[in-house]
Amino acid sequence: MKTLRFGIEIETVGLDKDGVARAIAAVLAGTARQGMGGAWEAVGADGRVWRAVHDGSLSGYRNAEIVSPVLGYDDIEKVQEIVRALHAAGARADASCGIHIHIDGARFDAKELTSLTKIIHKQERLIEAALGIQPHRLARYCRPIDPAFIERIESRRPRTVAEVNAAWYGRQVFSPARYDQSRYHAVNLNSYFYRKTIEFRYFEGTTHAGKVKAYVQFCLALAAKALGAKSASSRRREYNPATAKYDFRVFLLGLGMVGDEFKTARLHLLARMGGSAAWKGERRDRRTPPSNEDQPVVEAPAMSA
């Protein structure tokens, strides 16, 4: 997962595009400038450009969608610094905001694409509950994986990207449009066919640096799991609120999110889940020692990681 490249789009309200660009430029020891079409840009000392652009879906007149350049795993801490700086400058997230994470699709072929969608489809009820996705976003901007797509890849077993393309759209689409309506699924493969990135749209907006880091690590771990999978099942996992915390923790550990490096990510991703992280069922086996992850998660102030 640490070799995969990614990009992130963070939607905020409460701060104009120029204010967003200046806050980012200060973190990057760079400069802010006005770009094309009313956008603002923050150019880092390394030459990479972060953009603050208009998004008509955001509430209020002071808002911005922040679009990162291509990033690597070592850039996650810098992303956190930027999120903290935006919060300090007055940027906030409300119900209109979301976070979209793009994973570089260069290493994904038909097998990897189908493995990824099957892995996620199997656990999607858990993922949706863990991330607390608002009903209006589930219904419109980040719809679940299309069951018809899953049926097509299960019945046709695509061996080429072209065959995955036909399964995704229901027909072969040789020149996908950037704003094709199929992009409004939580796992957006239209982005892959349009520009070779896999977009994850699950995440509610936030200016909490620790949550942003958790979301990035989660997407990278999912992608890495698909790249290494010999096979995958798409059979939907039954969702049980009483054991959800345990079930999702097992899933995260299976993705490789093990140890202290991912401890904060596990805390954030498990915070909304019911039950215990340490045991399955309503009563704990007395031989099982309590886990730190059984304790309620108290969200840190927005400035902290």
Side-chain angles (χ1 to χ4, degrees), residues 40-52:
W40 273 77
E41 299 175 341
V43 185
D46 59 3
R48 289 187 292 181
V49 178
W50 292 68
R51 303 179 68 234

Side-chain angles (χ1 to χ4, degrees), residues 127-279:
I127 294 171
E128 292 167 355
L131 298 175
I133 306 172
Q134 299 175 79
H136 79 271
R137 294 189 65 244
L138 272 176
R140 183 176 180 185
Y141 293 117
C142 56
R143 300 194 297 268
I145 294 174
D146 187 354
F149 169 66
I150 294 295
E151 290 176 8
R152 286 191 284 266
I153 62 174
E154 289 287 16
S155 62
R156 301 175 189 177
R157 301 196 179 277
R159 296 184 178 181
T160 67
V161 168
E163 290 173 342
V164 179
N165 174 291
W168 176 259
Y169 295 106
R171 67 192 189 286
Q172 189 77 59
V173 176
F174 295 100
S175 299
R178 178 178 182 180
Y179 297 112
D180 186 271
Q181 286 298 303
S182 69
R183 73 191 181 105
Y184 289 123
H185 286 88
V187 180
N188 172 18
L189 293 192
N190 181 69
S191 179
Y192 174 85
F193 299 120
Y194 176 75
R195 57 185 171 189
K196 284 292 187 228
T197 70
I198 300 163
E199 183 184 27
F200 294 86
R201 301 174 58 90
Y202 285 109
F203 309 105
E204 298 291 316
T206 184
T207 54
H208 189 298
K211 288 183 179 180
V212 173
K213 178 181 180 180
Y215 298 160
V216 172
Q217 287 180 322
F218 180 55
C219 291
L220 290 171
L222 282 169
K225 183 72 172 180
L227 288 170
K230 293 183 179 180
S231 62
S233 168
S234 65
R235 184 178 179 181
R236 279 294 242 208
R237 184 187 186 99
E238 182 180 350
Y239 177 71
N240 182 353
T243 64
K245 195 166 192 174
Y246 177 88
D247 294 336
F248 199 59
R249 178 172 179 265
V250 170
F251 178 53
L252 295 178
L253 298 180
L255 294 178
M257 299 181 72
V258 179
D260 288 344
E261 181 177 4
F262 301 100
K263 183 175 181 180
T264 300
R266 294 195 304 271
L267 287 173
H268 288 304
L269 293 171
L270 292 170
R272 292 185 177 90
M273 307 302 272
S276 166
W279 68 88

